[in-house]
Amino acid sequence: MSTSSKKIIYALLVGFGLFMLCGAALLWVDNRRIERHTDELNDLRIHLNGRDQDVEILRRQLRACCPDSSLSIRPGKRATAAKPSFPKEDGWDH
């Protein structure tokens, strides 16, 4: 083999090695992004579960406070707020 063909082979091997190294780095970065995304989703689920428990506690307190209330709160439906009943002459602008 001549020296020029050896140089070409070495250059191709180095280029292929760099290509593989860059590919491995890209896969590592992508994996880290997926892990971070998964962690954020899990944190969000935990946060939402905590909020669901808070809402359920507040519903129980409302039922205990006003069992004959006309507000029937069902999960997944929004309650309509009743207009407050107070006299117009209380000094506040409404």
Side-chain angles (χ1 to χ4, degrees):
M1 269 205 216
S2 67
T3 56
S4 64
S5 61
K6 284 183 182 180
K7 286 181 182 179
I8 291 174
I9 290 173
Y10 287 140
L12 287 175
L13 287 174
V14 168
F16 182 74
L18 287 174
F19 177 75
M20 294 301 288
L21 185 65
C22 290
L26 286 174
L27 287 174
W28 179 76
V29 167
D30 186 48
N31 189 34
R32 292 282 309 248
R33 291 180 74 196
I34 290 171
E35 287 176 0
R36 181 176 171 204
H37 179 70
T38 304
D39 289 344
E40 288 178 1
L41 279 176
N42 288 335
D43 290 345
L44 181 62
R45 285 185 184 124
I46 290 169
H47 181 71
L48 287 176
N49 285 339
R51 292 296 170 201
D52 287 343
Q53 291 170 357
D54 291 344
V55 168
E56 188 58 37
I57 290 169
L58 290 172
R59 281 189 184 133
R60 279 190 233 129
Q61 289 175 352
L62 178 65
R63 286 186 200 123
C65 176
C66 307
D68 59 342
S69 173
S70 63
L71 284 176
S72 61
I73 301 174
R74 292 182 219 140
K77 298 218 175 185
R78 292 182 181 240
T80 57
K83 292 190 177 188
S85 59
F86 46 80
K88 293 276 185 176
E89 298 85 31
D90 60 357
W92 295 93
D93 293 332
H94 297 285

